[in-house]
Amino acid sequence: MSIIIRKSLLELIFSGAFMKRWNDKLRPMELVEVDKQAHKMIVAWLLFLLNSRDLDVVRKRALGESLIEGGLFDYLYRLVITDIKPPVFYKIKENPDDYSTLTNWVIKQLRPRIMPLGDDFMNRMTAYLMQPEDKGLARRILHAAHLYASYSEFKLLKSINRMDHELIEIEESFIERLNSMRDLVGVSELLDEDSNVLGGFARMCGRLRFQKRWSQTPRVPETSVLGHMFIVATYSWFFSMEVGACRARCQNNFFSGLFHDLPELLTRDIISPVKGSSQEIGELIHEYEIRELNRVVLAPLKEGGYEDIAKRLEYLLGLEVGSEFKASVNMDGTIVEATEEQMAGEYNIDTIDPKDGPLLKVSDSLAAYIEAHTALKNGISSGQLHHALYRISNRYNETPVIAGVQVSALLADFD
């Protein structure tokens, strides 16, 4: 069965931007599911690299695949059960029959949207969700990352909810469960945010939830840079499946999406018309981004003993070839640019670590298109939103197929 990504799946992934978190607490800002999922998967990536240092390439790739799919399965499940409070959900999980009943209902709700991904994906998701007691490495990494990301949100709420009777119990639960995960390499360092560069980096990434996209344009829902990165990563994964990408290429595309806007920690969200207003301005912004990225992120990681993480970030961000939107491969230790034809042909093999820049750009554009389209559908009238839809549609009408993805046909479903 061939995999065809449809509008309904893209909208399902985006729907986490509506899903409020901690909505029984006083909040300094809206906390939404896609932001939490992005932070979780960034932390999971860090723990993945640290806990796979001694694994051979085959086992490392298998772990990476299990990690990404497990994260996506968890997210899809969460989209359906929505607002069940964690204590209630944990009680349900304690009873196998109750959990099985709930999970079968969740899978039934998801099936129409994810059937285009094929029976194999559906079967893997069902097996994963039906076995919550699994304690494999991928699952433990995801659980630790989930706890870290949720605890990070809690700390934003803590100071303004001091009269809340649940506060002490919630924090004690987070601390107890995170301490039980300290046998995983990196967990102790992540918790030491003030004096460890790894913890500082993870906390810094979480700050991207404060940066709203389209900041001068009213939208419903608003989306942050952090949540946008997760949406782009997820689209990249599914499009990679659609075009038959190899295992390494799929994983690189997902993690590239997860970090592609990381430089906006340092520059804020500069809109495309500004970046593209002239070649000189575009080059100036890019030069500043790279300089600050090296100073604030990459150099501290290298100096702190995490050179492998810094080098991997450099590859995912396309620093060696000049852009995250250029395709690249690793030829005997040298990173070189590749064409779309090469990526679909002789370069679609794990051994050269391929990464799809053009496919990432498609995912980024589609995420922006859906942000604008959803806001307009929700009654927000804005010239900027209409112009964004026109600009993206026009670009892919001229080049309807990019990196094997039939973009113009997909956009036509939104008309």
Side-chain angles (χ1 to χ4, degrees), residues 281-351:
I281 289 177
E283 290 175 352
L284 176 65
I285 292 170
H286 183 67
E287 180 184 331
Y288 177 82
E289 285 179 342
I290 301 308
R291 185 173 67 247
E292 288 299 287
L293 190 67
N294 276 296
R295 183 180 69 85
V296 178
V297 176
L298 299 176
L301 283 171
K302 292 175 182 177
E303 293 163 5
Y306 301 103
E307 186 167 357
D308 54 339
I309 292 176
K311 294 297 291 182
R312 201 64 198 159
L313 272 176
E314 290 174 354
Y315 183 61
L316 295 175
L317 292 170
L319 300 191
E320 295 96 338
V321 294
S323 171
E324 70 273 29
F325 297 132
K326 292 181 179 179
S328 59
V329 295
N330 187 334
M331 290 294 193
D332 300 320
T334 301
I335 308 303
V336 298
E337 189 175 347
T339 65
E340 286 186 40
E341 291 74 19
Q342 289 172 320
M343 294 297 287
E346 69 268 29
Y347 284 0
N348 189 30
I349 53 175
D350 287 345
T351 52

Side-chain angles (χ1 to χ4, degrees), residues 78 81-90 92 102:
R78 184 67 185 159
I81 65 170
T82 60
D83 209 24
I84 298 178
K85 289 188 70 168
V88 178
F89 181 62
Y90 296 148
I92 293 173
L102 176 63

Side-chain angles (χ1 to χ4, degrees), residues 171-334:
E171 182 159 34
E172 286 177 347
S173 175
F174 275 129
I175 293 172
E176 179 184 351
R177 287 180 292 161
L178 281 164
N179 282 333
S180 72
M181 308 292 290
R182 285 182 183 268
D183 60 304
L184 282 175
V185 181
V187 170
S188 294
E189 290 80 357
L190 286 170
L191 297 177
D192 188 10
E193 296 178 338
D194 294 325
S195 58
N196 184 275
V197 65
L198 190 74
F201 174 66
R203 179 172 59 184
M204 187 188 304
C205 290
R207 282 176 21 213
L208 283 167
R209 64 163 43 87
F210 304 145
Q211 292 190 28
K212 298 301 180 184
R213 286 170 53 77
W214 313 69
S215 59
Q216 298 180 12
T217 305
R219 288 178 304 121
V220 176
E222 289 189 329
T223 47
S224 72
V225 172
L226 185 63
H228 169 77
M229 295 196 304
F230 176 75
I231 292 168
V232 172
T234 304
Y235 288 177
S236 296
W237 178 261
F238 288 136
F239 284 128
S240 298
M241 290 175 57
E242 181 180 63
V243 303
C246 66
R247 177 178 275 180
R249 188 173 155 208
C250 286
Q251 293 178 37
N252 288 338
N253 291 347
F254 178 86
F255 290 126
S256 293
L258 194 60
F259 287 103
H260 78 284
D261 278 340
L262 182 65
E264 292 184 12
L265 271 170
L266 316 164
T267 62
R268 298 186 185 172
D269 181 31
I270 302 173
I271 59 174
S272 296
V274 173
K275 291 180 178 178
S277 59
S278 75
Q279 183 176 347
E280 291 78 12
I281 289 177
E283 290 175 352
L284 176 65
I285 292 170
H286 183 67
E287 180 184 331
Y288 177 82
E289 285 179 342
I290 301 308
R291 185 173 67 247
E292 288 299 287
L293 190 67
N294 276 296
R295 183 180 69 85
V296 178
V297 176
L298 299 176
L301 283 171
K302 292 175 182 177
E303 293 163 5
Y306 301 103
E307 186 167 357
D308 54 339
I309 292 176
K311 294 297 291 182
R312 201 64 198 159
L313 272 176
E314 290 174 354
Y315 183 61
L316 295 175
L317 292 170
L319 300 191
E320 295 96 338
V321 294
S323 171
E324 70 273 29
F325 297 132
K326 292 181 179 179
S328 59
V329 295
N330 187 334
M331 290 294 193
D332 300 320
T334 301

Side-chain angles (χ1 to χ4, degrees), residues 351-362:
T351 52
I352 57 173
D353 204 26
K355 181 176 72 70
D356 266 309
L359 187 144
L360 175 63
K361 183 61 178 177
V362 165

Side-chain angles (χ1 to χ4, degrees), residues 154-165:
F154 172 81
K155 286 186 284 189
L156 294 175
L157 309 174
K158 181 179 174 181
S159 64
I160 57 174
N161 283 274
R162 295 198 179 279
M163 301 302 291
D164 194 315
H165 69 282

